[in-house]
Amino acid sequence: MIEKYLLGTYTRRISKGVYQLELDTDNQKLQNLKFVGSAIDPTYVAESNKKRIYAITKVKDDQENVTGGFVEWDGSSDDFPLKPIASIHDQETSPAYISVDEDKQLVFTANYHAGTVNSYKIAADGSISKADRIMDKGTLGFRKEQQDGPHPHYINLTPEGRIVAVDLGVDKVFIYDLEDSGKLVPVSELQMPDGYGPRHIYFDAKKKVAYLVGELSSNVAVVDYDADKGVLSLRDINSTIPDDWTEHNGAAAIRVSKDGRFVYVSNRGNNSLAVFSSDEKGNLSLIQRISTEGDFPRDFNLSDDESFIIALNQNSDNATLYTRDSESGKLTMIQKDFTVPEGVSILRKK
């Protein structure tokens, strides 16, 4: 079976934009890298059920002034490279994350450098209009990466349809109610310890918990979630790196197996995937740490049947393929030489 994945990248050296790779599950290999569409630093992408692809990007004018936003492509065609059907660039610089609400036909972005979370309405013809924009607020963390302001790094839907936004700069997680218009209505805030540096979050609705990655602290936290009230509360914090690791590391992406038994976190610096088992209450125990066979793994993803994991190494321009044991949760590397230029994110194509 062939599975296709969309790849977000930086375009600082050799990448030209968004790419697609194939996973051949029968032959257990990555193959057939294709160039999907041109954009400047399309680090994260999202795709709707209508196969509309939304890619973060930015544009420059004649004076090299930058404005950020995203571009929209019709992903129903494989006639690459795709041509934009719409775009919007109304932010100070390019966002850090993008996601889609199918029911309300909204797109959300978190803008790390501008300190804002944003919502946009998507019309039936694909045209885009701004719905809401909120500037994150809070006390800045003590680390140098936090000293220049709020830094929203992630925005997406919670299991019950609210919005969660994660801010690295002020060590907070924000929960919002979401109106059909795209307006964000504040519900609650979770204040993490000073310097935690929240980056990404994953909710397990059955266990009523969320797992929160701390980029700057190299941690993953277990957070209880009351979906009725929209309130998060910190339970426990676990390290993603060895106790004796003294060099730079930034925890990055998080994925959870469908059965909720295993949690995976990537480490940029230690260049590894940390594998945790999760008990029936969501408590974590480290069971493996395995090399990504490259440098700076920002993101990774599981295959449809979760027999494989694909990791992208940004600085070494390669993707690594693992088999995954569904009983133990542990990984075995089987391919490490597949070229992906400046890979940042990986999304299963619909």
Side-chain angles (χ1 to χ4, degrees):
M1 181 178 177
I2 302 297
E3 298 178 8
K4 297 179 181 180
Y5 293 82
L6 293 170
L7 311 176
T9 73
Y10 276 110
T11 55
R12 297 170 177 175
R13 296 182 287 107
I14 58 176
S15 172
K16 296 180 179 179
V18 175
Y19 292 81
Q20 175 185 282
L21 65 71
E22 294 178 350
L23 168 62
D24 183 338
T25 58
D26 294 331
N27 293 304
Q28 299 191 350
K29 67 176 183 178
L30 303 174
Q31 64 184 27
N32 201 17
L33 185 73
K34 291 185 177 181
F35 175 55
V36 172
S38 178
I40 300 175
D41 291 343
T43 51
Y44 278 83
V45 297
E47 186 182 17
S48 72
N49 289 337
K50 295 179 180 179
K51 295 189 175 182
R52 296 282 176 84
I53 298 171
Y54 302 95
I56 287 169
T57 188
K58 58 187 175 184
V59 294
K60 297 180 181 180
D61 63 19
D62 294 339
Q63 285 74 45
E64 294 294 304
N65 296 312
V66 173
T67 52
F70 58 93
V71 63
E72 179 183 1
W73 293 309
D74 181 357
S76 62
S77 168
D78 282 342
D79 185 17
F80 299 147
L82 301 177
K83 295 180 180 179
I85 58 175
S87 65
I88 188 167
H89 296 89
D90 66 342
Q91 302 179 40
E92 294 177 23
T93 187
S94 56
Y97 198 86
I98 189 166
S99 57
V100 176
D101 182 337
E102 296 284 355
D103 292 338
K104 295 182 174 66
Q105 283 299 289
L106 296 166
V107 171
F108 310 100
T109 65
N111 196 307
Y112 180 94
H113 293 289
T116 61
V117 292
N118 309 270
S119 63
Y120 297 88
K121 195 71 177 178
I122 306 299
D125 63 358
S127 58
I128 305 162
S129 59
K130 186 178 81 172
D132 201 5
R133 175 167 297 156
I134 293 178
M135 172 72 76
D136 282 358
K137 295 180 180 179
T139 302
L140 300 180
F142 74 90
R143 300 180 191 270
K144 64 179 182 180
E145 297 92 341
Q146 301 175 304
Q147 293 304 302
D148 54 351
H151 289 313
H153 221 313
Y154 178 90
I155 185 169
N156 213 331
L157 294 167
T158 64
E160 79 282 7
R162 290 189 174 97
I163 286 293
V164 60
V166 178
D167 194 297
L168 178 146
V170 297
D171 292 315
K172 283 187 178 183
V173 182
F174 299 87
I175 301 292
Y176 298 95
D177 278 335
L178 178 63
E179 297 182 356
D180 289 346
S181 65
K183 181 176 176 58
L184 303 172
V185 181
V187 173
S188 68
E189 300 176 6
L190 170 66
Q191 180 69 61
M192 292 297 289
D194 189 13
Y196 186 82
R199 179 182 173 93
H200 285 186
I201 192 169
Y202 181 94
F203 287 82
D204 186 324
K206 291 183 179 179
K207 296 181 182 179
K208 299 181 180 180
V209 301
Y211 304 106
L212 177 65
V213 173
E215 173 181 336
L216 303 183
S217 56
S218 297
N219 286 322
V220 57
V222 181
V223 181
D224 292 300
Y225 184 55
D226 185 333
D228 293 332
K229 297 179 180 179
V231 174
L232 294 158
S233 54
L234 177 62
R235 182 199 302 178
D236 188 30
I237 295 177
N238 305 265
S239 178
T240 65
I241 54 175
D243 292 339
D244 59 356
W245 183 262
T246 58
E247 299 176 41
H248 172 267
N249 186 74
I254 183 167
R255 305 283 182 178
V256 179
S257 59
K258 293 174 184 176
D259 60 12
R261 295 174 57 212
F262 302 102
V263 176
Y264 301 83
V265 180
S266 64
N267 286 306
R268 298 166 300 165
N270 185 251
N271 294 334
S272 64
L273 296 180
V275 184
F276 297 86
S277 63
S278 173
D279 68 16
E280 66 278 1
K281 295 183 179 180
N283 298 308
L284 299 181
S285 299
L286 181 71
I287 58 173
Q288 184 186 27
R289 194 179 290 111
I290 186 170
S291 171
T292 60
E293 304 294 338
D295 186 21
F296 224 65
R298 278 189 182 265
D299 198 15
F300 60 97
N301 212 338
L302 288 89
S303 63
D304 287 352
D305 67 358
E306 301 192 331
S307 294
F308 302 92
I309 279 183
I310 307 165
L312 301 185
N313 294 292
Q314 177 189 330
N315 291 348
S316 52
D317 304 314
N318 70 302
T320 301
L321 180 64
Y322 307 85
T323 55
R324 191 185 83 96
D325 186 302
S326 61
E327 289 302 314
S328 70
K330 293 184 177 181
L331 308 179
T332 301
M333 189 276 295
I334 58 172
Q335 184 182 0
K336 61 180 180 180
D337 57 354
F338 187 80
T339 298
V340 173
E342 301 180 76
V344 173
S345 65
I346 177 167
L347 176 72
R348 177 68 163 99
K349 193 174 189 302
K350 295 181 179 180

